[in-house]
Amino acid sequence: MEWTAERSDVNGTTGSPPPRTARDVAASTGIEESWIRFIETEFKDLFDEHGIDTGSRLFNARRVELISRIKKLLMDDRLAVTDVRRKLYANTAGASRAPAVLAVTSGKGGVGKTTVSVNLAVALARDSASSRPHERTGLAAA
């Protein structure tokens, strides 16, 4: 597809081609290439959910916009990766929430960790089956 003056790039300027490679994106956004790769690797599921191919060497405006949003949350707003996930999943229409992990622990054996874990898993599964059928509940012993 040919670049035309009617189109605008991620910065809103017209007439110049959009960033095409990781190096171009780094130069136009100020985000280092290593951070671009980190963001795409760490948040691959989010890119997939938005239908953005992170395997491609070429970058489109949607991909650059999502990278820029994640970079702002991580570096400028100083949010942790889990908080960024939570915030972005909350803003994604129809998307499931970021996965939550509950741990039941004790330094002592025989105090009912397994019983509590199983009952909790059953209760959560029943709740999500009725109110959030797209969510999964699982149990793992480590």
Side-chain angles (χ1 to χ4, degrees):
M1 184 186 308
E2 209 50 39
W3 178 259
T4 63
E6 291 80 40
R7 293 211 173 125
S8 61
D9 65 12
V10 267
N11 297 320
T13 54
T14 57
S16 60
R20 300 298 295 173
T21 65
R23 181 172 289 157
D24 296 335
V25 173
S28 68
T29 62
I31 304 171
E32 294 179 22
E33 286 184 61
S34 60
W35 270 97
I36 292 169
R37 295 299 173 218
F38 166 76
I39 289 169
E40 289 189 325
T41 302
E42 184 64 37
F43 295 92
K44 182 168 181 5
D45 55 328
L46 191 63
F47 283 91
D48 291 345
E49 192 154 325
H50 283 275
I52 300 170
D53 179 18
T54 57
S56 171
R57 293 184 53 148
L58 299 179
F59 288 70
N60 61 21
R62 288 180 54 219
R63 188 173 173 186
V64 174
E65 179 186 345
L66 188 53
I67 290 169
S68 296
R69 283 178 48 206
I70 293 170
K71 180 262 182 192
K72 180 188 178 308
L73 293 170
L74 285 172
M75 298 174 77
D76 299 345
D77 297 349
R78 297 193 169 279
L79 294 179
V81 169
T82 53
D83 294 331
V84 171
R85 282 183 179 286
R86 198 170 292 122
K87 187 173 187 88
L88 290 175
Y89 273 105
N91 292 338
T92 304
S96 60
R97 294 189 317 246
V101 176
L102 298 175
V104 178
T105 64
S106 173
K108 191 173 182 182
V111 294
K113 296 181 293 291
T114 302
T115 302
V116 169
S117 299
V118 169
N119 288 334
L120 185 58
V122 169
L124 290 171
R126 284 182 180 160
D127 178 56
S128 68
S130 61
S131 62
R132 297 178 298 276
H134 61 281
E135 292 185 2
R136 294 183 335 195
T137 303
L139 177 65

